[in-house]
Amino acid sequence: MTTYEPAELARELGYTDEQRPGKVVRDYLRQKYPDHRKYERWVLDESQADDVRANVPRKR
């Protein structure tokens, strides 16, 4: 099973200059999954990664 981390998805979406890599993705995930424990690592499965790709806009 393939897993993804927010920084990896952020780079894929073009967010390569973030001061905190993956922040844009984590911000989206916090809205989508408000019950996720604070400070717990995000490890996403394929369907969650596809959701991020569909809902976090690519950086231009």
Side-chain angles (χ1 to χ4, degrees), residues 13-47:
L13 295 170
Y15 294 90
T16 57
D17 59 351
E18 290 182 296
Q19 186 174 358
R20 295 180 55 215
K23 183 169 181 347
V24 68
V25 173
R26 287 191 309 277
D27 289 346
Y28 169 75
L29 291 169
R30 285 187 193 106
Q31 282 186 312
K32 177 91 178 186
Y33 304 102
D35 293 336
H36 182 54
R37 293 175 54 132
K38 196 168 185 169
Y39 303 112
E40 188 173 290
R41 186 176 177 194
W42 290 95
V43 179
L44 309 174
D45 62 26
E46 190 70 45
S47 66

Side-chain angles (χ1 to χ4, degrees), residues 1-5 8-9 41-46 49:
M1 177 170 122
T2 303
T3 59
Y4 301 87
E5 294 189 13
E8 178 182 3
L9 290 170
R41 186 176 177 194
W42 290 95
V43 179
L44 309 174
D45 62 26
E46 190 70 45

